[in-house]
Amino acid sequence: MKNSTTKQLLASCVAIIAIAISQNANAQNAAQNANDKKAQELVSKMTREEKLQMLMGYFSTTAEWLKSTAPKNGMPNSAGYIEGISRLGIPAQSQTDAGVGVATQRSPNPRGRSALPSGIALAATFNDEIAFKGGAMIGSEARLSGFNVMLAGGANLLREPRNGRNFEYTGEDPLLAGNIAGNAIKGIQSNHVISTLKHYALNDQETNRFTIDVKIDEQAARQSDLLAFEIANEIGNPGSVMCSYNRVNGDYACENDWLLNQVLKKEWGYKGYVMSDWGATHSTIPAANRGLDQQSGYPFDKSPYFAGALDEAVNNNHVSEARLDDMVYRIIYAMSENGLFENPLNGDQSDKIDYAANGKITQAAAEEGIVLLKNERNLLPIAKNVKNIIIIGGHADKGVLSGGGSSQVYPVGGMAVPNEGPSEFPGPMVFYPSSPMKELQKLTKAQITYYDGKDLSKAAELAKKADLAIVFGNQWTGESVDVTNLNLQNNADALIDKVASNNANTIVVLQTGGPIIMPWLDKVGAVLEAWYPGSSGGAAIARVLSGEVNPSGALPASFVQSVDQLPRPKLGGDEVGIAVNNPSQLKGRVSVDYNIEGAAVGYKWLDKTNQKPLFPFGYGLSYSNFEMSNLMVKANQSKVSVSFSVKNTSKIDGKAIAQIYAAPINGGWEAPKRLVGYKKLLVNKSQKQNAMIEINPKTLAVYDTNLHKWVIKGGLYDISLSKSSAQPVQTIRVKLDDIILN
Ligand code: BGC
């Protein structure tokens, strides 16, 4: 009796869930149909002139060097503006950079806003929810600042650790990068603000970015960079995709039929619009026919290709009327899908921004993204009996570092350190006024003093007298220039070496755009990678140092021992021997061969070539100790799930990142293994937790270039529960069937 009641109950639960799922799907379809209808109707009512108006974006900044005058209704010193069509109730598109918050173009009076930690720091949280919340926060500031399009969602893979924009992106692994970028996009768009996904695609270095031709085979591209975009697109459903500056296999990314028409629009079924990066449109007819829907940021381009010239191209039937309508349709569809019609902007409402509340969100993200790389003798958290601490270098008395270029968010309350870094783009070097030193002073009774570290002998003297020395090592990076080496800047490597030689209790706090090398590693007691920690970064760093926060970040990119371990020890396409961004210095058009590593990016390359990095992908310590066990794998066609448990064997609560790697025992992938899942778990002291992860089937598949489908190859696979890419804890061998994914 009891049994049959339970069965009945179960059956009705299943039925209710099925109804809920189908209702959800019905609601989604209805919404899609409504957006589709609205877009079709509006397009049908538009004149040619109105259509063309939707397709041309203007730089919304008056800049002498570019001879640009900001459109009169655009938000000043912002990235772009496209006037609305009031006759039809179509709102203007007001565009702001970028991924960590509301940026300002170079100007004497930049708007101050909250800044998230850098994209790579968000990825280091291994926490999709944090990415969503961060996106939601910056999206809300965008709306209140008068913007309904945010040029965020950077998902280029960290293929080149010297890339000056790694800080804007989400690491070297397609699953992690796609999940984090996708969730951030979803968060931004929860404010009725369109987000981009950018820079599509393979824009993995800045050197010669405007012209470089990236050579890569289709399968390698699909299983690496394009997979990150595919996942981010599925999760985030961005209203727009920004095509990049570089060329891919010969054609510019913004007139690349394969990238835009075949992969993005046809295969992924993308319904939004493609906008060009600022200065990335090079033609009218090829660009329009090969998939570009909107030209951006004029006059960055040589010509207003999508204005009069497009009109003429349509008149002459070089671009069909249907394609013109499709371009406009896509923009209106995305605007409708994201609620831009029902939620009009109301100019600058920034006085309504709750900076205190937003500060907590960015601080929580920074705290989860800080990675503890080394902790000898439990030097951290700082012991209660430490009497005096010397903090050296990096302006840690004043603030924290951020990355430069168009994504630059300026702080509320002004810059903590004026006149640093280059005066020209991608400068200035901006420090947010969140001082690690002052924040640490609030959390410890120790006496704390600061020295700028300029004189190494003086630094050594001061270090000798202190119980603890904390050295801040910075690497500032910015858009348009790659770094020439992986060393810290401002003589910080020598400074750390000197301090550590004089005090064994030396802790290094790094603020870097991406991976660096650490020639001093053996000498120091502890290392924290804080990336660019955002506008509340000082508090985040201090709380990790003091133990208020238990570190829980992990590396979203491998830290190599030296550039010799990379697929390209010398930067690809660097024909003139320096990281240049000036096409006039080039003797010809250059290319870079990404087929060397293909899809084996980062840890995959290191695994494949049997090299041991300085710190592996996925690595990060905690003040707690975790035991992972009980791995079980269930495979039913393409649905593969794993379950396991994590026990906190220490006396402090902490967060663990369980990572799942898969390896086909007979090979056939780009590298021995891939990350196929991860989960961040809060496990209280002495507690044990069970968890489950559903594997994204594409991470188990290879891309079949004949079928144009993802295919799981039947056979045996080792599935490992791991603490990092180099620390498997338990492995199970499973058999997977041959499956073609939809
Ligand atoms: C960058 C984009 C940015 C655009 C607008 C370009 O230089 O590559 O990421 O969104 O400028 O500022």
Side-chain angles (χ1 to χ4, degrees):
M1 172 69 196
K2 202 172 161 209
N3 218 346
S4 72
T5 328
T6 322
K7 269 191 194 154
Q8 276 168 3
L9 238 167
L10 259 175
S12 36
C13 282
V14 171
I16 290 170
I17 293 170
I19 292 170
I21 291 174
S22 85
Q23 277 175 348
N24 207 351
N26 287 345
Q28 252 179 15
N29 283 343
Q32 271 187 11
N33 290 342
N35 298 324
D36 177 66
K37 203 165 149 231
K38 176 162 196 148
Q40 283 198 30
E41 261 172 30
L42 283 172
V43 173
S44 72
K45 289 183 188 151
M46 287 165 90
T47 63
R48 171 72 68 81
E49 204 181 322
E50 285 168 340
K51 288 177 191 172
L52 290 167
Q53 183 182 317
M54 298 285 291
L55 308 180
M56 263 310 295
Y58 293 87
F59 188 39
S60 192
T61 298
T62 299
E64 213 173 296
W65 62 271
L66 194 62
K67 300 193 177 56
S68 65
T69 311
K72 91 173 177 312
N73 296 326
M75 296 309 288
N77 303 312
S78 70
Y81 186 73
I82 294 122
E83 192 57 81
I85 300 170
S86 53
R87 175 179 87 82
L88 297 169
I90 300 175
Q93 298 161 62
S94 178
Q95 303 167 320
T96 180
D97 283 302
V100 300
V102 180
T104 308
Q105 292 288 329
R106 198 71 208 264
S107 93
N109 298 308
R111 50 178 79 73
R113 294 292 182 268
S114 309
L116 288 173
S118 56
I120 195 169
L122 268 194
T125 66
F126 276 68
N127 186 336
D128 300 351
E129 204 186 321
I130 287 259
F132 175 85
K133 284 187 185 153
M137 184 274 277
I138 61 170
S140 75
E141 291 202 4
R143 171 155 280 281
L144 290 173
S145 305
F147 298 103
N148 55 10
V149 180
M150 197 164 204
L151 312 174
N156 293 95
L157 281 197
L158 197 152
R159 197 179 270 275
E160 172 49 75
R162 289 158 293 199
N163 179 2
R165 296 189 90 170
N166 282 333
F167 73 93
E168 294 190 56
Y169 305 142
T170 43
E172 73 188 19
D173 180 79
L175 176 68
L176 180 66
N179 283 348
I180 296 292
N183 277 286
I185 291 168
K186 206 173 171 184
I188 292 169
Q189 294 194 155
S190 67
N191 297 282
H192 306 299
V193 168
I194 286 177
S195 173
T196 56
L197 167 62
K198 75 185 189 184
H199 307 91
Y200 185 70
L202 293 143
N203 183 189
D204 298 346
Q205 61 179 76
E206 292 298 276
T207 300
N208 295 322
R209 65 174 174 163
F210 294 127
T211 48
I212 197 158
D213 187 16
V214 172
K215 303 282 187 202
I216 188 161
D217 292 344
E218 187 180 0
Q219 188 186 49
R222 292 301 305 264
Q223 291 177 191
S224 58
D225 292 61
L226 295 194
L227 179 56
F229 279 83
E230 187 169 358
I231 293 172
N233 178 43
E234 276 163 12
I235 295 173
N237 187 26
S240 184
V241 168
M242 187 192 289
C243 51
S244 55
Y245 288 127
N246 53 293
R247 290 178 290 154
V248 177
N249 295 328
D251 289 336
Y252 281 111
C254 290
E255 50 185 56
N256 195 306
D257 184 68
W258 173 64
L259 279 178
L260 305 181
N261 283 339
Q262 295 178 43
V263 177
L264 177 71
K265 293 183 177 174
K266 192 156 160 244
E267 221 181 287
W268 298 350
Y270 181 67
K271 296 201 78 174
Y273 64 104
V274 176
M275 70 165 81
S276 60
D277 199 345
W278 274 228
T281 309
H282 297 280
S283 67
T284 302
I285 299 166
N289 286 338
R290 295 178 190 169
L292 178 66
D293 300 304
Q294 188 180 63
Q295 179 176 359
S296 307
Y298 189 73
F300 270 86
D301 290 311
K302 292 271 173 296
S303 178
Y305 297 106
F306 277 15
L310 184 57
D311 191 26
E312 200 181 323
V314 177
N315 287 339
N316 292 325
N317 215 17
H318 291 303
V319 174
S320 69
E321 193 89 45
R323 171 64 187 130
L324 178 75
D325 286 356
D326 174 53
M327 295 159 88
V328 184
Y329 167 93
R330 286 172 171 278
I331 298 168
I332 298 178
Y333 184 90
M335 290 171 87
S336 174
E337 190 177 34
N338 285 288
L340 267 55
F341 286 89
E342 294 81 17
N343 298 277
L345 292 171
N346 208 354
D348 184 355
Q349 305 272 302
S350 54
D351 53 340
K352 296 200 179 119
I353 295 175
D354 185 345
Y355 290 108
N358 292 353
K360 288 199 183 114
I361 294 170
T362 167
Q363 187 177 322
E367 287 172 356
E368 282 214 16
I370 291 175
V371 187
L372 178 61
L373 291 173
K374 179 173 181 181
N375 195 14
E376 298 275 285
R377 294 170 282 116
N378 289 333
L379 213 48
L380 288 174
I382 296 170
K384 298 277 176 261
N385 61 358
V386 168
K387 293 221 167 50
N388 58 76
I389 300 173
I390 176 89
I391 293 184
I392 305 174
H395 296 296
D397 56 332
K398 300 257 168 40
V400 289
L401 189 58
S402 61
S406 61
S407 68
Q408 184 72 61
V409 176
Y410 289 82
V412 181
M415 294 198 262
V417 184
N419 306 323
E420 282 274 312
S423 56
E424 296 302 319
F425 190 89
M429 189 186 284
V430 175
F431 286 81
Y432 297 137
S434 174
S435 151
M437 173 167 119
K438 287 184 191 139
E439 295 293 337
L440 194 58
Q441 278 165 336
K442 294 183 199 161
L443 299 173
T444 149
K445 294 200 179 79
Q447 199 211 336
I448 306 181
T449 42
Y450 178 78
Y451 175 58
D452 66 18
K454 286 203 177 113
D455 177 342
L456 297 195
S457 321
K458 188 164 173 207
E461 281 313 304
L462 291 166
K464 249 187 221 163
K465 290 186 209 138
D467 292 336
L468 209 65
I470 307 178
V471 191
F472 277 72
N474 290 356
Q475 178 213 41
W476 181 74
T477 58
E479 177 183 341
S480 80
V481 265
D482 295 328
V483 290
T484 47
N485 58 52
L486 295 179
N487 289 95
L488 293 173
Q489 295 156 348
N490 271 334
N491 211 21
D493 284 325
L495 174 67
I496 295 169
D497 194 282
K498 188 81 178 181
V499 171
S501 305
N502 286 278
N503 188 334
N505 296 338
T506 293
I507 295 162
V508 175
V509 177
L510 298 167
Q511 297 183 90
T512 69
I516 50 139
I517 53 168
M518 305 181 197
W520 34 260
L521 183 61
D522 288 345
K523 289 189 178 171
V524 305
V527 182
L528 270 190
E529 173 58 87
W531 316 106
Y532 303 146
S535 44
S536 303
I541 292 171
R543 276 158 56 84
V544 171
L545 289 170
S546 70
E548 309 294 306
V549 166
N550 190 349
S552 66
L555 293 180
S558 316
F559 277 41
V560 290
Q561 297 186 30
S562 85
V563 291
D564 293 332
Q565 291 190 315
L566 300 172
R568 281 166 296 281
K570 187 173 175 325
L571 255 160
D574 183 10
E575 307 290 290
V576 286
I578 45 161
V580 287
N581 188 38
N582 182 354
S584 66
Q585 282 179 274
L586 284 173
K587 295 184 189 79
R589 284 153 75 87
V590 294
S591 64
V592 60
D593 183 9
Y594 284 176
N595 282 317
I596 297 173
E597 74 279 27
V601 176
Y603 66 91
K604 294 171 183 168
W605 168 257
L606 295 165
D607 277 357
K608 184 180 164 178
T609 53
N610 247 318
Q611 303 188 80
K612 195 172 174 289
L614 192 59
F615 291 107
F617 173 86
Y619 180 82
L621 302 170
S622 162
Y623 298 150
S624 304
N625 295 313
F626 299 106
E627 264 175 31
M628 298 185 184
S629 60
N630 289 337
L631 175 65
M632 288 203 291
V633 182
K634 268 197 207 150
N636 178 7
Q637 294 288 301
S638 65
K639 282 198 177 9
V640 180
S641 61
V642 296
S643 59
F644 54 89
S645 36
V646 179
K647 186 168 179 200
N648 183 340
T649 56
S650 71
K651 296 203 172 68
I652 7 171
D653 301 346
K655 288 180 181 164
I657 301 169
Q659 300 167 39
I660 308 293
Y661 292 86
I665 68 157
N666 291 323
W669 285 1
E670 66 278 0
K673 66 169 185 283
R674 298 173 179 164
L675 179 74
V676 297
Y678 58 87
K679 187 153 220 156
K680 191 160 205 180
L681 291 167
L682 168 66
V683 193
N684 289 339
K685 58 187 170 196
S686 312
Q687 298 288 305
K688 186 170 169 178
Q689 265 205 44
N690 299 325
M692 216 264 288
I693 299 177
E694 273 179 25
I695 305 302
N696 183 330
K698 282 179 193 139
T699 61
L700 294 169
V702 291
Y703 185 77
D704 187 312
T705 53
N706 294 319
L707 293 176
H708 297 291
K709 293 250 183 230
W710 289 95
V711 174
I712 298 179
K713 300 268 184 215
L716 294 174
Y717 290 76
D718 280 343
I719 309 283
S720 303
L721 170 64
S722 309
K723 290 189 168 174
S724 79
S725 61
Q727 286 168 281
V729 178
Q730 204 186 342
T731 300
I732 286 184
R733 186 159 291 180
V734 295
K735 188 169 171 302
L736 300 181
D737 296 329
D738 259 315
I739 302 154
I740 300 175
L741 303 178
N742 289 321

